[in-house]
Amino acid sequence: MNIKKGQINIVIGLIIIFFLIALSKFGNHSVVASYNKSNSITLQEVPILNYHKVDILNHALSVSPREFEDQMEYLYQNGYHTITPDQLMAYLKSGKPLPDKPILITFDDGYLDNYTNAYPIMKKYGFTGTIFIVTNFISKDERFMTWDQIKEMQQNGMIFGSHTANHKSLTSLTKEQVLDELSQSRDEIARQLGKAPKYFAYPTGTYNGEIEDMVRKTGYKAAFTIEYGQVGADSDVFLLQRIPIFKGQKTFRSFFIRLNGAPVLEELGIIKN
């Protein structure tokens, strides 16, 4: 029988995933920093979900409202607690304790359905999230939210970060254009919401070392990629990994495996994005 190495990795990964899921039903799930024998901080990894659209369109970036609610209900019933980027940074940098089973829920782009569909469902389960917005689309393109909607969501615990001004791949721009995209977006969010955003997500997921450095120098405290994985002690806070959630024939199963099996799948390289 000719069995490829990749197939073996997948089987092993799935076995370990279901074993870990079974174990997760027992014991305390508090995520706190512990100290090893050398007195250095040991951090458990934290999952960050990455959504785009919550609608009924037949699009790879779309998750239907029904699917999204099934996923939020799963998180709620299994004891997950949503956290903010500020809480995540305090945990990564100084080991400040997080609630049991912490999870950061993020959205990219700022589509209107984030307000009309995702937001009511999240409120239903007491969840908050972080939305990275493209500022030149807000209140200008009917596919995206308005500033009034964003302000309402902010008042109810939602966090807003920058996804640049025009959603252009930063690696295709000059240094001056990159700096303009970063600063223009940051300044507009500050003007509209009363405070500058601390967090940034790379549009189209493209970046390099120079761009990472420019994001840092523009004043952002951390940046998020679309690369698959969880964040922990070894994470670069300007290259934070997330768990992308896409539309599929079996979207919930994909969500379940990506969420619960992230450490194993990441280690085996079974899921790249």
Side-chain angles (χ1 to χ4, degrees):
M1 182 181 297
N2 183 21
I3 302 177
K4 296 181 179 180
K5 181 178 179 182
Q7 294 174 320
I8 295 175
N9 281 347
I10 291 174
V11 173
I12 293 174
L14 291 175
I15 291 173
I16 296 174
I17 289 168
F18 288 111
F19 177 70
L20 291 174
I21 293 170
L23 288 179
S24 72
K25 295 182 181 295
F26 303 94
N28 191 339
H29 295 286
S30 297
V31 176
V32 297
S34 59
Y35 289 84
N36 57 31
K37 292 181 180 180
S38 63
N39 204 38
S40 61
I41 296 178
T42 301
L43 301 177
Q44 296 184 36
E45 294 190 331
V46 178
I48 304 173
L49 299 183
N50 177 211
Y51 294 93
H52 285 77
K53 295 177 63 61
V54 180
D55 59 27
I56 59 173
L57 296 178
N58 186 26
H59 189 283
L61 296 179
S62 297
V63 174
S64 75
R66 176 62 183 272
E67 291 169 332
F68 184 75
E69 175 146 19
D70 287 345
Q71 294 168 18
M72 295 302 103
E73 182 180 18
Y74 172 83
L75 295 177
Y76 178 79
Q77 291 181 346
N78 286 273
Y80 283 88
H81 294 85
T82 52
I83 61 172
T84 66
D86 280 350
Q87 288 176 286
L88 179 65
M89 289 304 105
Y91 176 66
L92 294 177
K93 292 183 176 181
S94 61
K96 186 174 181 179
L98 292 174
D100 292 353
K101 300 186 78 169
I103 191 165
L104 178 58
I105 301 176
T106 68
F107 300 80
D108 286 359
D109 303 332
Y111 290 103
L112 176 61
D113 56 68
N114 292 182
Y115 174 78
T116 57
N117 296 334
Y119 177 49
I121 293 171
M122 295 182 74
K123 284 201 300 182
K124 176 180 177 180
Y125 294 101
F127 291 161
T128 60
T130 299
I131 303 178
F132 297 101
I133 57 177
V134 183
T135 53
N136 281 352
F137 296 171
I138 302 302
S139 289
K140 298 177 182 178
D141 186 321
E142 62 183 10
R143 297 173 299 169
F144 295 83
M145 294 183 290
T146 67
W147 285 113
D148 285 342
Q149 292 166 341
I150 289 173
K151 290 172 184 176
E152 176 191 334
M153 297 171 79
Q154 183 189 47
Q155 291 172 356
N156 287 280
M158 298 292 283
I159 306 297
F160 291 89
S162 168
H163 204 37
T164 70
N166 296 290
H167 201 272
K168 295 179 179 179
S169 171
L170 297 181
T171 54
S172 69
L173 304 179
T174 66
K175 180 177 180 180
E176 291 72 22
Q177 289 172 324
V178 170
L179 289 173
D180 186 57
E181 286 286 330
L182 296 174
S183 59
Q184 185 183 139
S185 174
R186 187 170 185 266
D187 292 347
E188 180 64 8
I189 293 174
R191 187 177 74 83
Q192 293 285 350
L193 302 185
K195 56 183 177 181
K198 299 178 183 177
Y199 304 104
F200 178 80
Y202 298 99
T204 73
T206 55
Y207 62 87
N208 55 38
E210 184 178 28
I211 290 171
E212 179 186 354
D213 189 52
M214 283 190 279
V215 171
R216 181 184 294 104
K217 290 180 177 178
T218 306
Y220 295 100
K221 303 302 180 185
F224 296 75
T225 70
I226 58 171
E227 295 179 9
Y228 180 83
Q230 300 191 118
V231 301
D234 295 331
S235 296
D236 180 337
V237 297
F238 284 90
L239 297 176
L240 293 172
Q241 294 173 299
R242 293 185 284 179
I243 300 174
I245 306 298
F246 299 114
K247 181 180 180 63
Q249 290 182 330
K250 297 179 180 179
T251 301
F252 182 82
R253 187 179 72 176
S254 175
F255 160 82
F256 180 86
I257 292 174
R258 282 170 175 260
L259 172 63
N260 290 288
V264 178
L265 298 176
E266 183 183 1
E267 180 68 24
L268 295 177
I270 295 173
I271 294 181
K272 298 295 185 182
N273 52 47

PDB file of all heavy atoms in Angstrom, residues 77-108:
ATOM      1  N   GLN A  77     -21.279  27.750  24.397  1.00  0.00           N
ATOM      2  CA  GLN A  77     -21.603  26.533  25.132  1.00  0.00           C
ATOM      3  C   GLN A  77     -20.372  25.817  25.657  1.00  0.00           C
ATOM      4  O   GLN A  77     -20.451  25.046  26.620  1.00  0.00           O
ATOM      5  CB  GLN A  77     -22.424  25.592  24.250  1.00  0.00           C
ATOM      6  CG  GLN A  77     -23.823  26.089  23.941  1.00  0.00           C
ATOM      7  CD  GLN A  77     -24.629  25.132  23.095  1.00  0.00           C
ATOM      8  OE1 GLN A  77     -24.086  24.187  22.498  1.00  0.00           O
ATOM      9  NE2 GLN A  77     -25.933  25.348  23.034  1.00  0.00           N
ATOM     10  N   ASN A  78     -19.235  26.079  25.041  1.00  0.00           N
ATOM     11  CA  ASN A  78     -17.995  25.427  25.467  1.00  0.00           C
ATOM     12  C   ASN A  78     -17.105  26.329  26.319  1.00  0.00           C
ATOM     13  O   ASN A  78     -15.918  26.047  26.491  1.00  0.00           O
ATOM     14  CB  ASN A  78     -17.241  24.899  24.250  1.00  0.00           C
ATOM     15  CG  ASN A  78     -17.886  23.651  23.672  1.00  0.00           C
ATOM     16  OD1 ASN A  78     -17.588  22.539  24.105  1.00  0.00           O
ATOM     17  ND2 ASN A  78     -18.792  23.825  22.726  1.00  0.00           N
ATOM     18  N   GLY A  79     -17.678  27.399  26.829  1.00  0.00           N
ATOM     19  CA  GLY A  79     -16.990  28.199  27.839  1.00  0.00           C
ATOM     20  C   GLY A  79     -15.929  29.155  27.360  1.00  0.00           C
ATOM     21  O   GLY A  79     -15.080  29.590  28.159  1.00  0.00           O
ATOM     22  N   TYR A  80     -15.948  29.538  26.085  1.00  0.00           N
ATOM     23  CA  TYR A  80     -14.974  30.508  25.600  1.00  0.00           C
ATOM     24  C   TYR A  80     -15.366  31.922  26.032  1.00  0.00           C
ATOM     25  O   TYR A  80     -16.549  32.240  26.160  1.00  0.00           O
ATOM     26  CB  TYR A  80     -14.880  30.463  24.072  1.00  0.00           C
ATOM     27  CG  TYR A  80     -14.086  29.282  23.558  1.00  0.00           C
ATOM     28  CD1 TYR A  80     -14.714  28.059  23.315  1.00  0.00           C
ATOM     29  CD2 TYR A  80     -12.722  29.385  23.317  1.00  0.00           C
ATOM     30  CE1 TYR A  80     -13.986  26.969  22.840  1.00  0.00           C
ATOM     31  CE2 TYR A  80     -11.992  28.317  22.841  1.00  0.00           C
ATOM     32  CZ  TYR A  80     -12.630  27.102  22.607  1.00  0.00           C
ATOM     33  OH  TYR A  80     -11.908  26.028  22.147  1.00  0.00           O
ATOM     34  N   HIS A  81     -14.352  32.752  26.232  1.00  0.00           N
ATOM     35  CA  HIS A  81     -14.565  34.160  26.597  1.00  0.00           C
ATOM     36  C   HIS A  81     -13.797  35.045  25.611  1.00  0.00           C
ATOM     37  O   HIS A  81     -12.591  34.847  25.415  1.00  0.00           O
ATOM     38  CB  HIS A  81     -14.075  34.444  28.018  1.00  0.00           C
ATOM     39  CG  HIS A  81     -14.854  33.724  29.077  1.00  0.00           C
ATOM     40  ND1 HIS A  81     -14.567  32.427  29.452  1.00  0.00           N
ATOM     41  CD2 HIS A  81     -15.913  34.112  29.828  1.00  0.00           C
ATOM     42  CE1 HIS A  81     -15.406  32.048  30.395  1.00  0.00           C
ATOM     43  NE2 HIS A  81     -16.231  33.041  30.640  1.00  0.00           N
ATOM     44  N   THR A  82     -14.503  35.991  24.998  1.00  0.00           N
ATOM     45  CA  THR A  82     -13.822  36.885  24.056  1.00  0.00           C
ATOM     46  C   THR A  82     -12.965  37.891  24.815  1.00  0.00           C
ATOM     47  O   THR A  82     -13.332  38.364  25.891  1.00  0.00           O
ATOM     48  CB  THR A  82     -14.824  37.626  23.164  1.00  0.00           C
ATOM     49  OG1 THR A  82     -15.821  38.256  23.971  1.00  0.00           O
ATOM     50  CG2 THR A  82     -15.496  36.667  22.195  1.00  0.00           C
ATOM     51  N   ILE A  83     -11.818  38.206  24.226  1.00  0.00           N
ATOM     52  CA  ILE A  83     -10.896  39.168  24.823  1.00  0.00           C
ATOM     53  C   ILE A  83     -10.602  40.270  23.811  1.00  0.00           C
ATOM     54  O   ILE A  83     -10.912  40.147  22.622  1.00  0.00           O
ATOM     55  CB  ILE A  83      -9.575  38.512  25.274  1.00  0.00           C
ATOM     56  CG1 ILE A  83      -8.843  37.893  24.067  1.00  0.00           C
ATOM     57  CG2 ILE A  83      -9.837  37.463  26.353  1.00  0.00           C
ATOM     58  CD1 ILE A  83      -7.443  37.393  24.389  1.00  0.00           C
ATOM     59  N   THR A  84      -9.991  41.334  24.280  1.00  0.00           N
ATOM     60  CA  THR A  84      -9.602  42.453  23.420  1.00  0.00           C
ATOM     61  C   THR A  84      -8.118  42.335  23.071  1.00  0.00           C
ATOM     62  O   THR A  84      -7.357  41.629  23.750  1.00  0.00           O
ATOM     63  CB  THR A  84      -9.831  43.792  24.129  1.00  0.00           C
ATOM     64  OG1 THR A  84      -8.926  43.869  25.249  1.00  0.00           O
ATOM     65  CG2 THR A  84     -11.271  43.919  24.620  1.00  0.00           C
ATOM     66  N   PRO A  85      -7.673  43.048  22.041  1.00  0.00           N
ATOM     67  CA  PRO A  85      -6.239  43.065  21.740  1.00  0.00           C
ATOM     68  C   PRO A  85      -5.413  43.601  22.912  1.00  0.00           C
ATOM     69  O   PRO A  85      -4.289  43.144  23.136  1.00  0.00           O
ATOM     70  CB  PRO A  85      -6.150  43.989  20.523  1.00  0.00           C
ATOM     71  CG  PRO A  85      -7.462  43.843  19.844  1.00  0.00           C
ATOM     72  CD  PRO A  85      -8.455  43.723  20.970  1.00  0.00           C
ATOM     73  N   ASP A  86      -5.964  44.558  23.670  1.00  0.00           N
ATOM     74  CA  ASP A  86      -5.240  45.073  24.839  1.00  0.00           C
ATOM     75  C   ASP A  86      -4.985  43.953  25.852  1.00  0.00           C
ATOM     76  O   ASP A  86      -3.889  43.849  26.420  1.00  0.00           O
ATOM     77  CB  ASP A  86      -6.038  46.189  25.523  1.00  0.00           C
ATOM     78  CG  ASP A  86      -5.887  47.532  24.824  1.00  0.00           C
ATOM     79  OD1 ASP A  86      -5.030  47.660  23.932  1.00  0.00           O
ATOM     80  OD2 ASP A  86      -6.641  48.462  25.185  1.00  0.00           O
ATOM     81  N   GLN A  87      -5.990  43.121  26.092  1.00  0.00           N
ATOM     82  CA  GLN A  87      -5.818  42.002  27.021  1.00  0.00           C
ATOM     83  C   GLN A  87      -4.784  41.017  26.495  1.00  0.00           C
ATOM     84  O   GLN A  87      -3.963  40.486  27.260  1.00  0.00           O
ATOM     85  CB  GLN A  87      -7.152  41.282  27.236  1.00  0.00           C
ATOM     86  CG  GLN A  87      -8.164  42.051  28.065  1.00  0.00           C
ATOM     87  CD  GLN A  87      -9.484  41.310  28.158  1.00  0.00           C
ATOM     88  OE1 GLN A  87     -10.256  41.250  27.190  1.00  0.00           O
ATOM     89  NE2 GLN A  87      -9.757  40.728  29.314  1.00  0.00           N
ATOM     90  N   LEU A  88      -4.833  40.762  25.199  1.00  0.00           N
ATOM     91  CA  LEU A  88      -3.870  39.838  24.603  1.00  0.00           C
ATOM     92  C   LEU A  88      -2.452  40.366  24.755  1.00  0.00           C
ATOM     93  O   LEU A  88      -1.531  39.615  25.118  1.00  0.00           O
ATOM     94  CB  LEU A  88      -4.194  39.635  23.121  1.00  0.00           C
ATOM     95  CG  LEU A  88      -3.249  38.717  22.360  1.00  0.00           C
ATOM     96  CD1 LEU A  88      -3.329  37.295  22.892  1.00  0.00           C
ATOM     97  CD2 LEU A  88      -3.556  38.752  20.861  1.00  0.00           C
ATOM     98  N   MET A  89      -2.245  41.662  24.497  1.00  0.00           N
ATOM     99  CA  MET A  89      -0.906  42.238  24.609  1.00  0.00           C
ATOM    100  C   MET A  89      -0.398  42.193  26.050  1.00  0.00           C
ATOM    101  O   MET A  89       0.785  41.915  26.294  1.00  0.00           O
ATOM    102  CB  MET A  89      -0.913  43.691  24.104  1.00  0.00           C
ATOM    103  CG  MET A  89      -1.080  43.856  22.607  1.00  0.00           C
ATOM    104  SD  MET A  89       0.172  42.959  21.637  1.00  0.00           S
ATOM    105  CE  MET A  89      -0.826  41.576  21.061  1.00  0.00           C
ATOM    106  N   ALA A  90      -1.279  42.478  26.999  1.00  0.00           N
ATOM    107  CA  ALA A  90      -0.870  42.436  28.411  1.00  0.00           C
ATOM    108  C   ALA A  90      -0.465  41.020  28.810  1.00  0.00           C
ATOM    109  O   ALA A  90       0.454  40.823  29.617  1.00  0.00           O
ATOM    110  CB  ALA A  90      -2.012  42.941  29.296  1.00  0.00           C
ATOM    111  N   TYR A  91      -1.123  40.043  28.230  1.00  0.00           N
ATOM    112  CA  TYR A  91      -0.796  38.641  28.508  1.00  0.00           C
ATOM    113  C   TYR A  91       0.544  38.261  27.879  1.00  0.00           C
ATOM    114  O   TYR A  91       1.409  37.660  28.527  1.00  0.00           O
ATOM    115  CB  TYR A  91      -1.915  37.754  27.965  1.00  0.00           C
ATOM    116  CG  TYR A  91      -1.655  36.271  28.099  1.00  0.00           C
ATOM    117  CD1 TYR A  91      -1.575  35.666  29.356  1.00  0.00           C
ATOM    118  CD2 TYR A  91      -1.500  35.466  26.973  1.00  0.00           C
ATOM    119  CE1 TYR A  91      -1.343  34.301  29.481  1.00  0.00           C
ATOM    120  CE2 TYR A  91      -1.276  34.106  27.080  1.00  0.00           C
ATOM    121  CZ  TYR A  91      -1.193  33.527  28.341  1.00  0.00           C
ATOM    122  OH  TYR A  91      -0.969  32.178  28.468  1.00  0.00           O
ATOM    123  N   LEU A  92       0.728  38.632  26.608  1.00  0.00           N
ATOM    124  CA  LEU A  92       1.954  38.256  25.906  1.00  0.00           C
ATOM    125  C   LEU A  92       3.186  38.966  26.456  1.00  0.00           C
ATOM    126  O   LEU A  92       4.273  38.389  26.509  1.00  0.00           O
ATOM    127  CB  LEU A  92       1.820  38.566  24.413  1.00  0.00           C
ATOM    128  CG  LEU A  92       0.780  37.749  23.628  1.00  0.00           C
ATOM    129  CD1 LEU A  92       0.720  38.224  22.180  1.00  0.00           C
ATOM    130  CD2 LEU A  92       1.093  36.261  23.687  1.00  0.00           C
ATOM    131  N   LYS A  93       3.007  40.211  26.880  1.00  0.00           N
ATOM    132  CA  LYS A  93       4.165  41.004  27.305  1.00  0.00           C
ATOM    133  C   LYS A  93       4.500  40.863  28.785  1.00  0.00           C
ATOM    134  O   LYS A  93       5.664  40.944  29.172  1.00  0.00           O
ATOM    135  CB  LYS A  93       3.932  42.472  26.960  1.00  0.00           C
ATOM    136  CG  LYS A  93       3.931  42.740  25.459  1.00  0.00           C
ATOM    137  CD  LYS A  93       3.780  44.227  25.146  1.00  0.00           C
ATOM    138  CE  LYS A  93       3.883  44.483  23.647  1.00  0.00           C
ATOM    139  NZ  LYS A  93       3.769  45.926  23.306  1.00  0.00           N
ATOM    140  N   SER A  94       3.481  40.670  29.628  1.00  0.00           N
ATOM    141  CA  SER A  94       3.763  40.607  31.066  1.00  0.00           C
ATOM    142  C   SER A  94       3.101  39.437  31.782  1.00  0.00           C
ATOM    143  O   SER A  94       3.201  39.325  33.002  1.00  0.00           O
ATOM    144  CB  SER A  94       3.327  41.922  31.735  1.00  0.00           C
ATOM    145  OG  SER A  94       1.933  42.127  31.576  1.00  0.00           O
ATOM    146  N   GLY A  95       2.417  38.590  31.028  1.00  0.00           N
ATOM    147  CA  GLY A  95       1.805  37.422  31.649  1.00  0.00           C
ATOM    148  C   GLY A  95       0.549  37.715  32.441  1.00  0.00           C
ATOM    149  O   GLY A  95       0.148  36.907  33.281  1.00  0.00           O
ATOM    150  N   LYS A  96      -0.092  38.866  32.198  1.00  0.00           N
ATOM    151  CA  LYS A  96      -1.321  39.183  32.926  1.00  0.00           C
ATOM    152  C   LYS A  96      -2.384  38.146  32.608  1.00  0.00           C
ATOM    153  O   LYS A  96      -2.658  37.873  31.437  1.00  0.00           O
ATOM    154  CB  LYS A  96      -1.814  40.582  32.556  1.00  0.00           C
ATOM    155  CG  LYS A  96      -3.003  41.036  33.388  1.00  0.00           C
ATOM    156  CD  LYS A  96      -3.367  42.476  33.084  1.00  0.00           C
ATOM    157  CE  LYS A  96      -4.550  42.933  33.939  1.00  0.00           C
ATOM    158  NZ  LYS A  96      -4.908  44.348  33.660  1.00  0.00           N
ATOM    159  N   PRO A  97      -3.025  37.542  33.619  1.00  0.00           N
ATOM    160  CA  PRO A  97      -3.977  36.448  33.388  1.00  0.00           C
ATOM    161  C   PRO A  97      -5.146  36.835  32.486  1.00  0.00           C
ATOM    162  O   PRO A  97      -5.610  37.973  32.487  1.00  0.00           O
ATOM    163  CB  PRO A  97      -4.477  36.126  34.799  1.00  0.00           C
ATOM    164  CG  PRO A  97      -3.391  36.587  35.706  1.00  0.00           C
ATOM    165  CD  PRO A  97      -2.832  37.818  35.059  1.00  0.00           C
ATOM    166  N   LEU A  98      -5.592  35.860  31.706  1.00  0.00           N
ATOM    167  CA  LEU A  98      -6.757  36.004  30.855  1.00  0.00           C
ATOM    168  C   LEU A  98      -7.902  35.165  31.425  1.00  0.00           C
ATOM    169  O   LEU A  98      -7.674  34.272  32.233  1.00  0.00           O
ATOM    170  CB  LEU A  98      -6.434  35.516  29.438  1.00  0.00           C
ATOM    171  CG  LEU A  98      -5.433  36.346  28.638  1.00  0.00           C
ATOM    172  CD1 LEU A  98      -5.109  35.636  27.321  1.00  0.00           C
ATOM    173  CD2 LEU A  98      -5.958  37.739  28.380  1.00  0.00           C
ATOM    174  N   PRO A  99      -9.131  35.426  31.004  1.00  0.00           N
ATOM    175  CA  PRO A  99     -10.238  34.584  31.462  1.00  0.00           C
ATOM    176  C   PRO A  99     -10.100  33.161  30.932  1.00  0.00           C
ATOM    177  O   PRO A  99      -9.290  32.887  30.040  1.00  0.00           O
ATOM    178  CB  PRO A  99     -11.471  35.279  30.872  1.00  0.00           C
ATOM    179  CG  PRO A  99     -10.949  36.057  29.719  1.00  0.00           C
ATOM    180  CD  PRO A  99      -9.577  36.513  30.126  1.00  0.00           C
ATOM    181  N   ASP A 100     -10.894  32.242  31.478  1.00  0.00           N
ATOM    182  CA  ASP A 100     -10.885  30.864  31.007  1.00  0.00           C
ATOM    183  C   ASP A 100     -11.175  30.810  29.509  1.00  0.00           C
ATOM    184  O   ASP A 100     -12.034  31.527  28.993  1.00  0.00           O
ATOM    185  CB  ASP A 100     -11.947  30.040  31.733  1.00  0.00           C
ATOM    186  CG  ASP A 100     -11.621  29.837  33.204  1.00  0.00           C
ATOM    187  OD1 ASP A 100     -10.520  30.215  33.620  1.00  0.00           O
ATOM    188  OD2 ASP A 100     -12.483  29.291  33.921  1.00  0.00           O
ATOM    189  N   LYS A 101     -10.463  29.953  28.808  1.00  0.00           N
ATOM    190  CA  LYS A 101     -10.659  29.714  27.379  1.00  0.00           C
ATOM    191  C   LYS A 101     -10.816  31.020  26.594  1.00  0.00           C
ATOM    192  O   LYS A 101     -11.854  31.292  25.999  1.00  0.00           O
ATOM    193  CB  LYS A 101     -11.849  28.783  27.161  1.00  0.00           C
ATOM    194  CG  LYS A 101     -11.673  27.430  27.839  1.00  0.00           C
ATOM    195  CD  LYS A 101     -12.778  26.458  27.501  1.00  0.00           C
ATOM    196  CE  LYS A 101     -12.577  25.868  26.123  1.00  0.00           C
ATOM    197  NZ  LYS A 101     -13.485  24.710  25.866  1.00  0.00           N
ATOM    198  N   PRO A 102      -9.789  31.847  26.580  1.00  0.00           N
ATOM    199  CA  PRO A 102      -9.869  33.137  25.876  1.00  0.00           C
ATOM    200  C   PRO A 102      -9.829  32.951  24.366  1.00  0.00           C
ATOM    201  O   PRO A 102      -9.184  32.030  23.849  1.00  0.00           O
ATOM    202  CB  PRO A 102      -8.624  33.875  26.370  1.00  0.00           C
ATOM    203  CG  PRO A 102      -7.636  32.773  26.595  1.00  0.00           C
ATOM    204  CD  PRO A 102      -8.443  31.618  27.146  1.00  0.00           C
ATOM    205  N   ILE A 103     -10.509  33.838  23.665  1.00  0.00           N
ATOM    206  CA  ILE A 103     -10.466  33.832  22.215  1.00  0.00           C
ATOM    207  C   ILE A 103     -10.665  35.255  21.714  1.00  0.00           C
ATOM    208  O   ILE A 103     -11.468  36.010  22.271  1.00  0.00           O
ATOM    209  CB  ILE A 103     -11.530  32.882  21.629  1.00  0.00           C
ATOM    210  CG1 ILE A 103     -11.293  32.670  20.137  1.00  0.00           C
ATOM    211  CG2 ILE A 103     -12.952  33.391  21.891  1.00  0.00           C
ATOM    212  CD1 ILE A 103     -12.054  31.480  19.567  1.00  0.00           C
ATOM    213  N   LEU A 104      -9.902  35.639  20.712  1.00  0.00           N
ATOM    214  CA  LEU A 104     -10.037  36.967  20.096  1.00  0.00           C
ATOM    215  C   LEU A 104     -10.706  36.769  18.743  1.00  0.00           C
ATOM    216  O   LEU A 104     -10.228  35.985  17.918  1.00  0.00           O
ATOM    217  CB  LEU A 104      -8.663  37.612  19.943  1.00  0.00           C
ATOM    218  CG  LEU A 104      -8.587  38.995  19.283  1.00  0.00           C
ATOM    219  CD1 LEU A 104      -9.438  40.008  20.029  1.00  0.00           C
ATOM    220  CD2 LEU A 104      -7.136  39.466  19.217  1.00  0.00           C
ATOM    221  N   ILE A 105     -11.830  37.452  18.518  1.00  0.00           N
ATOM    222  CA  ILE A 105     -12.570  37.339  17.266  1.00  0.00           C
ATOM    223  C   ILE A 105     -12.329  38.602  16.444  1.00  0.00           C
ATOM    224  O   ILE A 105     -12.602  39.709  16.909  1.00  0.00           O
ATOM    225  CB  ILE A 105     -14.075  37.144  17.528  1.00  0.00           C
ATOM    226  CG1 ILE A 105     -14.304  35.873  18.357  1.00  0.00           C
ATOM    227  CG2 ILE A 105     -14.853  37.076  16.210  1.00  0.00           C
ATOM    228  CD1 ILE A 105     -15.752  35.645  18.747  1.00  0.00           C
ATOM    229  N   THR A 106     -11.811  38.421  15.232  1.00  0.00           N
ATOM    230  CA  THR A 106     -11.496  39.575  14.383  1.00  0.00           C
ATOM    231  C   THR A 106     -12.194  39.482  13.025  1.00  0.00           C
ATOM    232  O   THR A 106     -12.503  38.393  12.536  1.00  0.00           O
ATOM    233  CB  THR A 106      -9.972  39.707  14.151  1.00  0.00           C
ATOM    234  OG1 THR A 106      -9.510  38.609  13.336  1.00  0.00           O
ATOM    235  CG2 THR A 106      -9.220  39.720  15.464  1.00  0.00           C
ATOM    236  N   PHE A 107     -12.420  40.654  12.433  1.00  0.00           N
ATOM    237  CA  PHE A 107     -12.980  40.774  11.087  1.00  0.00           C
ATOM    238  C   PHE A 107     -12.096  41.731  10.292  1.00  0.00           C
ATOM    239  O   PHE A 107     -11.635  42.737  10.824  1.00  0.00           O
ATOM    240  CB  PHE A 107     -14.399  41.350  11.132  1.00  0.00           C
ATOM    241  CG  PHE A 107     -15.393  40.546  11.923  1.00  0.00           C
ATOM    242  CD1 PHE A 107     -15.439  40.647  13.305  1.00  0.00           C
ATOM    243  CD2 PHE A 107     -16.284  39.696  11.283  1.00  0.00           C
ATOM    244  CE1 PHE A 107     -16.348  39.915  14.046  1.00  0.00           C
ATOM    245  CE2 PHE A 107     -17.205  38.959  12.019  1.00  0.00           C
ATOM    246  CZ  PHE A 107     -17.240  39.067  13.397  1.00  0.00           C
ATOM    247  N   ASP A 108     -11.909  41.438   9.022  1.00  0.00           N
ATOM    248  CA  ASP A 108     -11.141  42.327   8.155  1.00  0.00           C
ATOM    249  C   ASP A 108     -12.054  43.043   7.160  1.00  0.00           C
ATOM    250  O   ASP A 108     -13.009  42.450   6.652  1.00  0.00           O
ATOM    251  CB  ASP A 108     -10.089  41.543   7.373  1.00  0.00           C
ATOM    252  CG  ASP A 108      -8.910  41.120   8.235  1.00  0.00           C
ATOM    253  OD1 ASP A 108      -8.898  41.450   9.434  1.00  0.00           O
ATOM    254  OD2 ASP A 108      -8.010  40.444   7.702  1.00  0.00           O
TER     255      ASP A 108
END
